[in-house]
Amino acid sequence: MSGSSAVQPVLFFTYLYKSKDAAPSKINGSYVSKAVFGDGCIIMADKIENSVIGNRTRIDKGSTIVNSYVMGADFYQNTTEIVMNDRAGRPNMGIGKYCYIEKAILDKNCYIGDNVKIIGGKHIPDGDYGTYSVQDGIVVVKKGAVLAPGTHIG
């Protein structure tokens, strides 16, 4: 096109990656602001704000997640395991009912019981505390950790 001043159109292509193994996320009755969700999440939380929620994360009703990164799970629990855990009083994989999590990173496959409070900040000294560690006020719950119902960190 020499000598022509016509503007040539530029085509942009966007590729959306979708895992063929995971279903879309399901979010029920939650207030969500500035959050990103991976595939296959089941969310019934009250509020999720300024957070990243990884693949296959389960967050039960009444929970609040603020300024946090939840890495999700490598697999779904089967129904039998969920029922057995409920009968035995053990937490299921994901975040239980009425939890409050702020300024935290939850590694994959964590079992967070009901009514757990994790509130990161400068008020917590840095260190390794077994199932979690703290660095610069950010609580990091370790991979596969189990936090019993009613646990308070921070």
Side-chain angles (χ1 to χ4, degrees):
M1 288 201 150
S2 64
S4 173
S5 63
V7 176
Q8 295 297 314
V10 179
L11 299 177
F12 291 98
F13 295 95
T14 302
Y15 293 95
L16 178 64
Y17 174 76
K18 170 76 175 91
S19 171
K20 58 185 167 183
D21 296 335
S25 291
K26 181 170 87 171
I27 303 171
N28 292 322
S30 301
Y31 169 79
V32 177
S33 175
K34 298 178 185 169
V36 177
F37 296 85
D39 293 335
C41 298
I42 301 170
I43 309 295
M44 294 175 277
D46 274 355
K47 179 168 105 174
I48 299 176
E49 201 170 70
N50 300 326
S51 297
V52 176
I53 309 299
N55 292 343
R56 292 177 287 278
T57 297
R58 182 188 63 80
I59 304 175
D60 220 327
K61 68 180 180 178
S63 292
T64 297
I65 315 296
V66 180
N67 299 325
S68 296
Y69 177 27
V70 181
M71 292 189 188
D74 290 322
F75 56 91
Y76 291 108
Q77 286 184 294
N78 64 43
T79 312
T80 305
E81 186 177 358
I82 290 170
V83 169
M84 288 174 56
N85 284 343
D86 287 343
R87 287 183 185 156
R90 290 187 303 258
N92 288 307
M93 191 181 304
I95 299 169
K97 296 175 184 147
Y98 308 107
C99 294
Y100 184 86
I101 298 172
E102 183 176 357
K103 295 180 187 160
I105 299 171
L106 277 59
D107 205 340
K108 285 186 170 183
N109 306 331
C110 288
Y111 298 76
I112 309 297
D114 296 342
N115 300 302
V116 169
K117 288 193 183 340
I118 301 172
I119 304 172
K122 298 292 183 186
H123 62 281
I124 308 173
D126 290 355
D128 189 342
Y129 300 94
T131 55
Y132 68 95
S133 60
V134 178
Q135 183 68 44
D136 296 327
I138 298 171
V139 177
V140 180
V141 179
K142 297 177 181 178
K143 186 173 185 174
V146 178
L147 296 183
T151 299
H152 288 224
I153 299 171

